[in-house]
Amino acid sequence: QLQLVESGGGSVQPGGSLRLSCVASGFSLDYYVIGWFRQAPGKEREGVACISSRGGSTYYADSVKGRFTISRDNAKNTVYLQMNSLKPEDTAVYYCAAQRGLSIFVQTMCVTVGSWSYWGQGTQVTVSS
């Protein structure tokens, strides 16, 4: 059974940091583009950061550029999202997703929520003082 499991969410004060992890089971992430998405209450799900299968290409939404870093360790079948300088507007449920694709399509895939085949269950991130 193909499964993605996120962890690392929680509550943090503005300016704080969290690292999310996304672990795959039942399949290898080696050939998959991985994306982190988030959905705040009353808002549509949006792409936050995406990374190509070998890690050579990344894309970040403007709202997180310079604060978030996506990385992957294919040997551990895991993708990470390091989130620094967190703001209250970063509060959302964060999801990871996987989809086969070429590195040249990372940005296009990241802004197209409907193009992803596999999704995790999500992890809550709350930024509040």
Side-chain angles (χ1 to χ4, degrees):
Q1 182 177 359
L2 308 182
Q3 194 174 12
L4 296 171
V5 179
E6 304 96 335
S7 62
S11 295
V12 64
Q13 293 186 339
S17 298
L18 286 173
R19 188 175 83 154
L20 306 183
S21 298
C22 172
V23 180
S25 61
F27 69 112
S28 170
L29 291 179
D30 284 3
Y31 302 103
Y32 286 81
V33 176
I34 304 299
W36 282 100
F37 296 79
R38 68 185 180 187
Q39 188 165 18
K43 295 189 176 181
E44 294 186 351
R45 192 170 298 189
E46 63 174 351
V48 174
C50 295
I51 188 167
S52 60
S53 60
R54 299 298 183 186
S57 296
T58 57
Y59 168 83
Y60 296 93
D62 287 344
S63 58
V64 306
K65 204 171 292 183
R67 300 187 297 121
F68 291 11
T69 302
I70 189 171
S71 62
R72 64 191 298 159
D73 185 341
N74 285 357
K76 294 182 178 180
N77 230 21
T78 302
V79 178
Y80 306 97
L81 184 67
Q82 178 67 44
M83 306 187 295
N84 299 328
S85 302
L86 283 161
K87 304 176 181 180
E89 51 264 43
D90 295 319
T91 296
V93 178
Y94 283 71
Y95 301 87
C96 66
Q99 175 63 44
R100 284 184 178 265
L102 299 176
S103 60
I104 58 172
F105 297 127
V106 167
Q107 177 175 344
T108 300
M109 293 171 66
C110 215
V111 299
T112 311
V113 176
S115 65
W116 298 78
S117 296
Y118 304 108
W119 290 87
Q121 83 289 347
T123 185
Q124 176 70 47
V125 171
T126 302
V127 185
S128 173
S129 56

